[in-house]
Amino acid sequence: MKNIRSITVLIMLSGLLAFGCEDYPDGPAVSLVPKADRVGNDWKIAEALDNGTNVTADYTRYELDLTESGAATLTAQYTLLGMEYDFVTNGVWIFMSDEEKISFDFDNNLADGIYEILKLESNAMWLKQDGGTLELHFVPR
C-alpha cells in the first residue's frame, strides 16, 4: 500500500513538471509561493534593456515598492538640466491576461503601464513593456 501511494505521488509530481507549471518564459518552472506574494517586494532595477540595448544607467535610482494586496509606490530620482528631481507616485497593481501580465495604475498617469511578466520569483521579477521595447529586470532592494 505504501508503494502505491509513493508511485501515485511521483506520477502527480511528474505531471506537474511536465505539463506547464511554467507560466513565464524565463521561470520559474514550478513555485509553491503564490504569484501575488512573489510580486510583493521592495524592488530596484538591476538591468534595463531597450530593444536589446543596455540602458540600465537611466534607471539606477528607480524603486518600485509593491504589496501582496495590490498597493504600489514608484520612486525615482533623476537629473534634468543639472537639477535633481524626486518623483514619487502611489497607485495599484493587478494581474491581467490570466496572470501573464501586470498592470500599474498610478496617481501620476505618466507612470501607468502594462507589462508582460517574463520571470516572477521571490528574488527576481522581469517585465517587458506590453507592445513596447523596454525590458526591466528587478531584484529586491
Side-chain angles (χ1 to χ4, degrees):
M1 187 67 136
K2 208 179 229 185
N3 286 340
I4 292 173
R5 277 192 215 150
S6 297
I7 291 171
T8 302
V9 168
L10 282 174
I11 291 171
M12 289 173 56
L13 286 175
S14 297
L16 283 174
L17 292 174
F19 293 111
C21 279
E22 186 171 328
D23 290 329
Y24 308 116
D26 293 307
V30 175
S31 179
L32 299 177
V33 179
K35 292 175 185 175
D37 289 354
R38 288 182 267 158
V39 169
N41 210 331
D42 295 335
W43 300 102
K44 66 179 181 179
I45 296 176
E47 184 176 34
L49 305 168
D50 193 357
N51 208 21
T53 302
N54 190 315
V55 293
T56 306
D58 296 338
Y59 293 90
T60 57
R61 298 186 298 175
Y62 280 66
E63 297 175 355
L64 185 60
D65 298 334
L66 306 174
T67 67
E68 295 87 356
S69 62
T73 301
L74 174 64
T75 304
Q77 295 174 332
Y78 60 93
T79 304
L80 182 64
L81 301 173
M83 300 280 296
E84 295 260 336
Y85 293 95
D86 292 326
F87 175 85
V88 178
T89 185
N90 295 305
V92 297
W93 68 267
I94 59 167
F95 285 120
M96 298 177 58
S97 299
D98 202 25
E99 298 182 335
E100 292 180 3
K101 295 182 181 183
I102 190 168
S103 172
F104 296 100
D105 182 14
F106 289 102
D107 293 338
N108 184 324
N109 293 331
L110 295 174
D112 291 355
I114 298 173
Y115 295 83
E116 176 188 353
I117 302 170
L118 302 176
K119 180 180 214 169
L120 184 55
E121 298 176 347
S122 296
N123 62 355
M125 179 172 66
W126 295 3
L127 305 177
K128 184 174 187 289
Q129 189 178 36
D130 193 38
T133 59
L134 182 63
E135 186 173 315
L136 302 171
H137 297 185
F138 291 91
V139 294
R141 280 193 287 133

